[in-house]
Amino acid sequence: MDHGSGAGLLHRLTSYTPTRGWDVPVDDPRVRHDLAPNDPATRPPQFKGYPGDLPAVTLPTGLAPPDAAAVDVLAGRVPDAVAGPDLAALGRVLFLGAGVVRTARRGDGEPFAFRASGSAGARFPLEVYVSAVDVDGLPDGVHWYDAQRHALVRVGPPASGRATTLVVTGVPWRTGWRYAERGWRHLYWDAGTLVAQLEAAAASAGLCPRLRTLFPDAAVRALVGADGVHEYPLALLTFGDDAPAVTPAATATSGALPEVELPLCTAAQRAGERDVLGDPWPVGAQVPADVPVPLAGAADAAPPTLDEVILRRGSQRLMDRGRTLPRAHLEWSTAVATRGVDVPHHVAAHGVDGLAPGLYRWPDLGSPLRAGDLRDELYRLALRQDLAGDAAYVVLSSADPLTLDDRTYRDAQLAAGIVEGRLHLAAYALGAGASGMTFYDSDLPALLGGPDDVVGLLLTCVGVPEYASRPGGGPGAPVEVRMVTPRMGDL
């Protein structure tokens, strides 16, 4: 990876260090200095806007979840394949990934919508489109998912290809408003957590989801009406093994977005653009069926369905440092989270029964790379956020820069997000909690004991929650919640 251009330059210029506040931009002319983070005057809208005369199809609100238990779906034990989604199945998949499940009030009283999948800083910078082929009840064509109305808005004509395909895009200013140019990384983290839930929901219904991250960017931009500056495609998820329907017949209608550009992000995205369609990601082998007993349930209790787990899931803000998790929880959760993913991961064990505290290279838990209590070091690494020290364990993803280029850097970030998203689902399925975490890039090599140029990707904290989130509501019926403030050290 070239640290002088493209994604490598963005990684270098957006790396955190303890000598500079996370919200203070690096002294470089390629980074914008005229945008104040978290300025209410420039806060982007939570949703895109489209002309009101576009045809729309309201999706069914009754989700009718399959009987498959969440633990089985996460482990890769899924129903036999079906021909393709009907309108109800498609609506369920979309809702369990990008639907509005909770609402809250900001400090200024403005309502805020929480989506089903997690997002760094609750910025929710993603959009989802459906390039539909032979979906009963839905005209062929390209449709934008309106999460507020749980509806599909037709924005483009039918595309060439045989399989209905979901297109996940990112809106850089939605996350850049808080995290500036580093928010480009968050686009891919968030896309990973979203894909984790879309994949699981589709697999649980026998829809055989297939993920692609190598695709012709310009063509997919035209397919969904993204301009490549204020919105760009991040991932494709196809139902079944046929060719994805992503070759556009015309450029789709563009929705309204704030015209705020982060040139460093635009350059990083453009540097990774390609003009070919790649193979889907590997599905990954099934994980053995020895599922641990949930913390709050008896061994003979009925395991929750995937839908129940997703509506229960949240980004845990407070964890009980004094409580531990069994080693079996760590092993099973991390195994299902990394299934089919080849990005390296480490585990910092703080409070895991049957496993000595220390740092381990997953999946080797035989002997630690570093022995001893690492709570304080993880707390400092995670910008002095208490969760990293209070968790029972922390999963860290990283990559060797020699293995990355401008395109595969995107893949690594998204893969880390997928692992985080699955860890969330696994934790909540087993009665624990989880939360993603950012970090000081400069301090990660010392923790891992590796080369100074290691590319840090993401941290995921898993532990025993101090509170239980209210389960989210169904389509059109989000529940109102109170925001919980995490404990923070003195920055």
Side-chain angles (χ1 to χ4, degrees):
M1 189 169 69
D2 179 7
H3 288 284
S5 66
L9 177 64
L10 181 139
H11 185 85
R12 178 169 64 83
L13 294 183
T14 61
S15 291
Y16 286 158
T17 173
T19 60
R20 188 183 73 252
W22 69 269
D23 56 351
V24 177
V26 66
D27 185 15
D28 190 286
R30 291 164 290 194
V31 173
R32 290 192 66 164
H33 291 72
D34 59 334
L35 296 170
N38 304 317
D39 181 359
T42 60
R43 179 187 290 141
Q46 298 177 62
F47 303 94
K48 288 187 75 174
Y50 279 95
D53 59 353
L54 292 177
V57 173
T58 300
L59 293 164
T61 56
L63 297 184
D67 293 332
V71 291
D72 289 330
V73 176
L74 292 171
R77 296 185 294 276
V78 296
D80 293 336
V82 299
D86 59 16
L87 195 62
L90 178 61
R92 172 179 170 268
V93 171
L94 291 168
F95 177 76
L96 293 179
V100 176
V101 297
R102 299 181 180 90
T103 60
R105 295 278 175 178
R106 292 191 178 100
D108 57 8
E110 182 179 344
F112 187 81
F114 287 90
R115 306 292 189 100
S117 64
S119 171
R123 296 308 311 141
F124 301 106
L126 307 176
E127 300 289 346
V128 182
Y129 301 82
V130 180
S131 181
V133 180
D134 294 333
V135 176
D136 187 23
L138 182 68
D140 285 1
V142 180
H143 307 260
W144 167 69
Y145 178 54
D146 182 343
Q148 287 181 295
R149 293 192 294 158
H150 190 52
L152 288 171
V153 178
R154 192 168 187 266
V155 298
S160 298
R162 298 181 58 186
T164 294
T165 301
L166 306 185
V167 181
V168 178
T169 69
V171 179
W173 177 233
R174 269 197 215 140
T175 187
W177 176 79
R178 178 168 176 81
Y179 298 109
E181 286 85 353
R182 188 179 174 99
W184 189 83
R185 304 192 200 184
H186 296 216
L187 289 178
Y188 286 93
W189 298 346
D190 285 7
T193 63
L194 172 60
V195 164
Q197 292 188 191
L198 293 172
E199 273 191 326
S204 70
L207 294 174
C208 300
R210 300 292 183 260
L211 171 65
R212 285 178 173 84
T213 54
L214 177 59
F215 49 81
D217 294 70
V220 177
R221 287 203 310 268
L223 178 78
V224 298
D227 64 0
V229 174
H230 307 106
E231 179 184 16
Y232 24 77
L234 308 177
L236 308 177
L237 193 69
T238 300
F239 299 124
D241 294 318
D242 286 335
V246 294
T247 302
T251 299
T253 301
S254 297
L257 291 170
E259 294 187 357
V260 180
E261 181 182 3
L262 299 166
L264 187 66
C265 297
T266 304
Q269 189 71 18
R270 293 280 171 84
E273 288 190 348
R274 302 292 184 263
D275 59 4
V276 297
L277 181 66
D279 293 330
W281 284 34
V283 174
Q286 289 187 8
V287 173
D290 49 344
V291 181
V293 176
L295 294 186
D300 58 352
T305 65
L306 179 72
D307 300 50
E308 291 170 333
V309 168
I310 287 178
L311 293 181
R312 185 186 302 167
R313 189 214 67 81
S315 292
Q316 191 68 36
R317 308 316 294 158
L318 298 171
M319 294 181 184
D320 188 341
R321 178 184 284 234
R323 296 187 62 188
T324 60
L325 289 176
R327 176 171 174 166
H329 278 236
L330 183 160
E331 292 180 332
W332 184 85
S333 297
T334 310
V336 300
T338 56
R339 190 168 60 91
V341 174
D342 61 2
V343 169
H345 283 78
H346 291 76
V347 177
H350 297 329
V352 179
D353 299 333
L355 186 65
L359 180 73
Y360 297 82
R361 175 69 180 263
W362 176 260
D364 180 11
L365 301 181
S367 59
L369 299 175
R370 291 181 56 191
D373 188 342
L374 299 174
R375 289 186 188 269
D376 288 346
E377 191 167 346
L378 265 294
Y379 159 74
R380 291 191 296 271
L381 176 72
L383 279 63
R384 298 181 182 273
Q385 299 177 83
D386 284 57
L387 282 172
D390 293 344
Y393 63 91
V394 180
V395 178
L396 308 91
S397 54
S398 62
D400 180 348
L402 296 178
T403 67
L404 303 177
D405 60 21
D406 290 314
R407 189 71 179 211
T408 54
Y409 177 84
R410 299 187 196 178
D411 292 350
Q413 297 285 7
L414 186 132
I418 289 174
V419 171
E420 186 210 358
R422 292 174 179 171
L423 280 169
H424 274 249
L425 297 179
Y428 281 85
L430 297 178
S435 185
M437 196 69 57
T438 194
F439 54 92
Y440 287 126
D441 300 76
S442 60
D443 290 4
L444 188 64
L447 174 71
L448 300 182
D452 291 341
D453 61 349
V454 64
V455 173
L457 300 173
L458 189 57
L459 312 183
T460 306
C461 307
V462 182
V464 180
E466 287 190 5
Y467 65 92
S469 299
R470 286 189 64 189
V479 300
E480 187 165 355
V481 297
R482 177 180 58 86
M483 293 189 179
V484 177
T485 302
R487 289 185 290 267
M488 297 285 292
D490 182 9
L491 284 174

mmCIF file with all atom_site columns, all heavy atoms in Angstrom, residues 16 86 89 134 156 168 175 183 292 313 378 453 472:
data_model
loop_
_atom_site.group_PDB
_atom_site.id
_atom_site.type_symbol
_atom_site.label_atom_id
_atom_site.label_alt_id
_atom_site.label_comp_id
_atom_site.label_asym_id
_atom_site.label_entity_id
_atom_site.label_seq_id
_atom_site.pdbx_PDB_ins_code
_atom_site.Cartn_x
_atom_site.Cartn_y
_atom_site.Cartn_z
_atom_site.occupancy
_atom_site.B_iso_or_equiv
_atom_site.pdbx_formal_charge
_atom_site.auth_seq_id
_atom_site.auth_comp_id
_atom_site.auth_asym_id
_atom_site.auth_atom_id
_atom_site.pdbx_PDB_model_num
ATOM 1  N N   . TYR A 1 16  ? -4.981  8.190   14.096  1.00 0.00 ? 16  TYR A N   1
ATOM 2  C CA  . TYR A 1 16  ? -5.035  8.858   15.395  1.00 0.00 ? 16  TYR A CA  1
ATOM 3  C C   . TYR A 1 16  ? -3.739  8.628   16.168  1.00 0.00 ? 16  TYR A C   1
ATOM 4  O O   . TYR A 1 16  ? -3.124  7.561   16.099  1.00 0.00 ? 16  TYR A O   1
ATOM 5  C CB  . TYR A 1 16  ? -6.194  8.316   16.224  1.00 0.00 ? 16  TYR A CB  1
ATOM 6  C CG  . TYR A 1 16  ? -7.571  8.764   15.795  1.00 0.00 ? 16  TYR A CG  1
ATOM 7  C CD1 . TYR A 1 16  ? -8.692  8.021   16.154  1.00 0.00 ? 16  TYR A CD1 1
ATOM 8  C CD2 . TYR A 1 16  ? -7.765  9.937   15.052  1.00 0.00 ? 16  TYR A CD2 1
ATOM 9  C CE1 . TYR A 1 16  ? -9.970  8.425   15.781  1.00 0.00 ? 16  TYR A CE1 1
ATOM 10 C CE2 . TYR A 1 16  ? -9.029  10.352  14.686  1.00 0.00 ? 16  TYR A CE2 1
ATOM 11 C CZ  . TYR A 1 16  ? -10.127 9.584   15.055  1.00 0.00 ? 16  TYR A CZ  1
ATOM 12 O OH  . TYR A 1 16  ? -11.396 9.987   14.694  1.00 0.00 ? 16  TYR A OH  1
ATOM 13 N N   . ASP A 1 86  ? -39.593 -13.319 -2.564  1.00 0.00 ? 86  ASP A N   1
ATOM 14 C CA  . ASP A 1 86  ? -40.809 -12.619 -2.913  1.00 0.00 ? 86  ASP A CA  1
ATOM 15 C C   . ASP A 1 86  ? -40.782 -11.277 -2.170  1.00 0.00 ? 86  ASP A C   1
ATOM 16 O O   . ASP A 1 86  ? -39.792 -10.950 -1.490  1.00 0.00 ? 86  ASP A O   1
ATOM 17 C CB  . ASP A 1 86  ? -42.046 -13.448 -2.579  1.00 0.00 ? 86  ASP A CB  1
ATOM 18 C CG  . ASP A 1 86  ? -42.143 -13.827 -1.102  1.00 0.00 ? 86  ASP A CG  1
ATOM 19 O OD1 . ASP A 1 86  ? -41.430 -13.220 -0.270  1.00 0.00 ? 86  ASP A OD1 1
ATOM 20 O OD2 . ASP A 1 86  ? -42.928 -14.732 -0.780  1.00 0.00 ? 86  ASP A OD2 1
ATOM 21 N N   . ALA A 1 89  ? -40.268 -11.585 1.710   1.00 0.00 ? 89  ALA A N   1
ATOM 22 C CA  . ALA A 1 89  ? -38.916 -12.002 2.097   1.00 0.00 ? 89  ALA A CA  1
ATOM 23 C C   . ALA A 1 89  ? -37.913 -10.882 1.861   1.00 0.00 ? 89  ALA A C   1
ATOM 24 O O   . ALA A 1 89  ? -37.008 -10.649 2.683   1.00 0.00 ? 89  ALA A O   1
ATOM 25 C CB  . ALA A 1 89  ? -38.518 -13.248 1.320   1.00 0.00 ? 89  ALA A CB  1
ATOM 26 N N   . ASP A 1 134 ? -37.576 -10.424 -11.319 1.00 0.00 ? 134 ASP A N   1
ATOM 27 C CA  . ASP A 1 134 ? -38.582 -11.462 -11.064 1.00 0.00 ? 134 ASP A CA  1
ATOM 28 C C   . ASP A 1 134 ? -38.920 -11.610 -9.582  1.00 0.00 ? 134 ASP A C   1
ATOM 29 O O   . ASP A 1 134 ? -39.035 -12.727 -9.059  1.00 0.00 ? 134 ASP A O   1
ATOM 30 C CB  . ASP A 1 134 ? -38.107 -12.820 -11.608 1.00 0.00 ? 134 ASP A CB  1
ATOM 31 C CG  . ASP A 1 134 ? -37.992 -12.830 -13.121 1.00 0.00 ? 134 ASP A CG  1
ATOM 32 O OD1 . ASP A 1 134 ? -38.710 -12.050 -13.775 1.00 0.00 ? 134 ASP A OD1 1
ATOM 33 O OD2 . ASP A 1 134 ? -37.173 -13.609 -13.650 1.00 0.00 ? 134 ASP A OD2 1
ATOM 34 N N   . GLY A 1 156 ? -34.754 3.619   -11.192 1.00 0.00 ? 156 GLY A N   1
ATOM 35 C CA  . GLY A 1 156 ? -34.096 3.293   -12.456 1.00 0.00 ? 156 GLY A CA  1
ATOM 36 C C   . GLY A 1 156 ? -34.741 2.117   -13.141 1.00 0.00 ? 156 GLY A C   1
ATOM 37 O O   . GLY A 1 156 ? -35.460 1.319   -12.520 1.00 0.00 ? 156 GLY A O   1
ATOM 38 N N   . VAL A 1 168 ? -25.159 -1.670  -1.708  1.00 0.00 ? 168 VAL A N   1
ATOM 39 C CA  . VAL A 1 168 ? -24.929 -0.840  -0.522  1.00 0.00 ? 168 VAL A CA  1
ATOM 40 C C   . VAL A 1 168 ? -24.025 0.311   -0.916  1.00 0.00 ? 168 VAL A C   1
ATOM 41 O O   . VAL A 1 168 ? -22.940 0.106   -1.475  1.00 0.00 ? 168 VAL A O   1
ATOM 42 C CB  . VAL A 1 168 ? -24.277 -1.658  0.611   1.00 0.00 ? 168 VAL A CB  1
ATOM 43 C CG1 . VAL A 1 168 ? -23.988 -0.773  1.824   1.00 0.00 ? 168 VAL A CG1 1
ATOM 44 C CG2 . VAL A 1 168 ? -25.177 -2.829  1.009   1.00 0.00 ? 168 VAL A CG2 1
ATOM 45 N N   . THR A 1 175 ? -20.969 10.582  7.783   1.00 0.00 ? 175 THR A N   1
ATOM 46 C CA  . THR A 1 175 ? -20.037 10.172  8.836   1.00 0.00 ? 175 THR A CA  1
ATOM 47 C C   . THR A 1 175 ? -18.885 11.166  8.970   1.00 0.00 ? 175 THR A C   1
ATOM 48 O O   . THR A 1 175 ? -18.347 11.362  10.056  1.00 0.00 ? 175 THR A O   1
ATOM 49 C CB  . THR A 1 175 ? -19.524 8.739   8.568   1.00 0.00 ? 175 THR A CB  1
ATOM 50 O OG1 . THR A 1 175 ? -18.747 8.300   9.668   1.00 0.00 ? 175 THR A OG1 1
ATOM 51 C CG2 . THR A 1 175 ? -18.721 8.635   7.305   1.00 0.00 ? 175 THR A CG2 1
ATOM 52 N N   . GLY A 1 183 ? -13.842 9.304   8.513   1.00 0.00 ? 183 GLY A N   1
ATOM 53 C CA  . GLY A 1 183 ? -15.144 8.693   8.307   1.00 0.00 ? 183 GLY A CA  1
ATOM 54 C C   . GLY A 1 183 ? -15.209 7.795   7.079   1.00 0.00 ? 183 GLY A C   1
ATOM 55 O O   . GLY A 1 183 ? -16.105 6.955   6.980   1.00 0.00 ? 183 GLY A O   1
ATOM 56 N N   . PRO A 1 292 ? -22.466 -22.600 23.131  1.00 0.00 ? 292 PRO A N   1
ATOM 57 C CA  . PRO A 1 292 ? -22.459 -22.399 24.581  1.00 0.00 ? 292 PRO A CA  1
ATOM 58 C C   . PRO A 1 292 ? -23.847 -22.064 25.118  1.00 0.00 ? 292 PRO A C   1
ATOM 59 O O   . PRO A 1 292 ? -24.716 -21.574 24.401  1.00 0.00 ? 292 PRO A O   1
ATOM 60 C CB  . PRO A 1 292 ? -21.503 -21.211 24.773  1.00 0.00 ? 292 PRO A CB  1
ATOM 61 C CG  . PRO A 1 292 ? -20.729 -21.107 23.506  1.00 0.00 ? 292 PRO A CG  1
ATOM 62 C CD  . PRO A 1 292 ? -21.626 -21.628 22.427  1.00 0.00 ? 292 PRO A CD  1
ATOM 63 N N   . ARG A 1 313 ? -30.410 -6.449  19.550  1.00 0.00 ? 313 ARG A N   1
ATOM 64 C CA  . ARG A 1 313 ? -29.037 -5.960  19.426  1.00 0.00 ? 313 ARG A CA  1
ATOM 65 C C   . ARG A 1 313 ? -28.952 -4.436  19.557  1.00 0.00 ? 313 ARG A C   1
ATOM 66 O O   . ARG A 1 313 ? -29.832 -3.704  19.125  1.00 0.00 ? 313 ARG A O   1
ATOM 67 C CB  . ARG A 1 313 ? -28.492 -6.366  18.058  1.00 0.00 ? 313 ARG A CB  1
ATOM 68 C CG  . ARG A 1 313 ? -27.001 -6.124  17.869  1.00 0.00 ? 313 ARG A CG  1
ATOM 69 C CD  . ARG A 1 313 ? -26.676 -5.740  16.445  1.00 0.00 ? 313 ARG A CD  1
ATOM 70 N NE  . ARG A 1 313 ? -27.234 -4.458  16.098  1.00 0.00 ? 313 ARG A NE  1
ATOM 71 C CZ  . ARG A 1 313 ? -26.687 -3.290  16.421  1.00 0.00 ? 313 ARG A CZ  1
ATOM 72 N NH1 . ARG A 1 313 ? -25.558 -3.228  17.091  1.00 0.00 ? 313 ARG A NH1 1
ATOM 73 N NH2 . ARG A 1 313 ? -27.282 -2.164  16.082  1.00 0.00 ? 313 ARG A NH2 1
ATOM 74 N N   . LEU A 1 378 ? -5.505  -1.474  26.782  1.00 0.00 ? 378 LEU A N   1
ATOM 75 C CA  . LEU A 1 378 ? -6.613  -1.410  25.824  1.00 0.00 ? 378 LEU A CA  1
ATOM 76 C C   . LEU A 1 378 ? -7.443  -0.151  26.033  1.00 0.00 ? 378 LEU A C   1
ATOM 77 O O   . LEU A 1 378 ? -7.904  0.468   25.061  1.00 0.00 ? 378 LEU A O   1
ATOM 78 C CB  . LEU A 1 378 ? -7.487  -2.656  25.944  1.00 0.00 ? 378 LEU A CB  1
ATOM 79 C CG  . LEU A 1 378 ? -7.192  -3.816  24.989  1.00 0.00 ? 378 LEU A CG  1
ATOM 80 C CD1 . LEU A 1 378 ? -7.482  -3.404  23.557  1.00 0.00 ? 378 LEU A CD1 1
ATOM 81 C CD2 . LEU A 1 378 ? -5.756  -4.296  25.117  1.00 0.00 ? 378 LEU A CD2 1
ATOM 82 N N   . ASP A 1 453 ? 4.359   -0.455  10.823  1.00 0.00 ? 453 ASP A N   1
ATOM 83 C CA  . ASP A 1 453 ? 3.433   -0.008  9.787   1.00 0.00 ? 453 ASP A CA  1
ATOM 84 C C   . ASP A 1 453 ? 2.192   -0.891  9.685   1.00 0.00 ? 453 ASP A C   1
ATOM 85 O O   . ASP A 1 453 ? 1.474   -0.840  8.681   1.00 0.00 ? 453 ASP A O   1
ATOM 86 C CB  . ASP A 1 453 ? 4.135   0.059   8.432   1.00 0.00 ? 453 ASP A CB  1
ATOM 87 C CG  . ASP A 1 453 ? 4.684   -1.288  7.971   1.00 0.00 ? 453 ASP A CG  1
ATOM 88 O OD1 . ASP A 1 453 ? 4.702   -2.224  8.790   1.00 0.00 ? 453 ASP A OD1 1
ATOM 89 O OD2 . ASP A 1 453 ? 5.095   -1.379  6.796   1.00 0.00 ? 453 ASP A OD2 1
ATOM 90 N N   . GLY A 1 472 ? -35.943 -3.453  19.624  1.00 0.00 ? 472 GLY A N   1
ATOM 91 C CA  . GLY A 1 472 ? -36.460 -2.572  18.599  1.00 0.00 ? 472 GLY A CA  1
ATOM 92 C C   . GLY A 1 472 ? -37.845 -2.995  18.130  1.00 0.00 ? 472 GLY A C   1
ATOM 93 O O   . GLY A 1 472 ? -38.273 -4.130  18.340  1.00 0.00 ? 472 GLY A O   1
#
